[in-house]
Amino acid sequence: MTKRFGAAVLRSYESRFAVEEVALNTGPADGEILVRIAGCGMCRTDLAVRRSAGRSPLPAVLGHEGAGVVVETGGPDTGLGVGDHVVLSFDSCGHCRSCLGAAPAYCDSFASLNLFGGRKENAARFTDAAGIALAPRWFGQSSFAEYAMVPARNAVRVDSSLPVELLGPLGCGFLTGAGAVFTSFGAGPGDTVAVLGAGAVGLAAVMAATAAGAVTVAVDRHPERLALAERLGASPLQAASAGLPERIRQLTDGGARYALDTTGSAPLINDALRALRPTGHLGLVARLHTALPLEPGTLDRGRRISHICEGDAVPGLLIPRLTALWQAGRFPFDQLIRTYPLADINEAERDCDAGRVVKPVLIPAGAGR
C-alpha cells in the first residue's frame, strides 16, 4: 500500500529545497519502523551536501535529527510499539567490530549508510510523485518530511511527556557536543574544558561541561553567541583576542585539561593546543577540508589530538541521559532552538547560514495530529 506525504526535496546542489508530495510504496520491512515526524533539526551536515562534490546522490530528502511517534512496525523484533515517542539518530550496521564494541559512530559502513546513498535494501520504494526514485534514507531517516521509514536500531524511545517536536537535535548535533564532554573526555567536577565555536555542537558541549561540574571557557567571534554561552555557564572569550591561549590558561587555572574545536580553523586549533595543560586532550568534530599545519611545540608534554565522531556516543544510552538532565534543568537545549514550519525550510537554511539561529527545527504540516 502506497503512503503519500509531504517532504522537502533537494533536486540539485544549487537549487533550493522544494516541499513536494513523495511516496513510500511498501510498509516497514523486518526491523524497521514508520515514524510520523513531529520535528526535525537542521544540521550543517545537511547543508554541506551542496559542497559534497557530487558524492551525495540527488534528488534526496535530507534531515537526520528527526523525532516523532511510531505509527507502524515491521516484524516482531523492533523493540518498539505503535504510539512510542522516539528520537532518531545515525545509522549503523550493528554487526561490525565497532558496532559490537559499543562504538556505532565508527561503524565500518558509516559513510555508505549515512552520507553516500543509505541502505540499498528496498531503496526503490521511496519516490517522488512522478515515480522517480529518491536517494534512499539520508542517515537512515530522511526526516525533512511528514513521515520517515527508519531501522529500529536508529530509534531511541523517550518519555511521552517530553516535547517530542524539540527532541530531534539530541540525535546528532547536541549528542555530538555533549557526548564529546561526557564520553570522549569523561569530564567531571574540577576539570577544565575550553570550547571553540559556540554553535549548536559547541553550546551543547558547554551545557554538558557545566552539568558535569567542569570549569568551562567558550570562544567565539559573535558577541551574541558568547552571551548565550555565558548564560549557560561558560566564561566567554572573543576568538580574535590577543594572546588567546594565555587568556584560556588564566581562566582554567594553568591550562585546560580538555578542549573541543567545532570550527575547523587551523589558527584556533593551534591556539587550543597551546592552551592545554600537559597531557591535555583536544577533540576535533569539524570536518577539515585542507591540510592542518601544527605549529612547533603544540603537541609536546603529552598533549594529544583526536577526531570525535557523533560524540563517541551510543545514542540509546546518551539520549536518555540528556533528556533526564533537561528535566532537571541542567541541559536547557530548548534555549538554542527556533522552530519553523517545514514549508519555510529555505528561510531556516538562510538563517542558519547567517548565524541568526543556533538550531532550526522544522515542524511538518499536521505534526500535532
Side-chain angles (χ1 to χ4, degrees), residues 1 7 33 38 43 86 105 109 115 120 129 148 194 203-204 257 265-267 307 355:
M1 181 177 178
I33 56 174
C43 176
V86 290
S109 302
L115 297 168
K120 302 304 181 186
L203 289 171
R257 182 173 182 186
S265 163
H307 179 260

Side-chain angles (χ1 to χ4, degrees), residues 348-364:
E349 180 179 9
R350 287 191 295 270
D351 288 350
C352 189
D353 273 340
R356 289 188 289 267
V357 58
V358 176
K359 176 58 69 175
V361 169
L362 302 165
I363 309 295

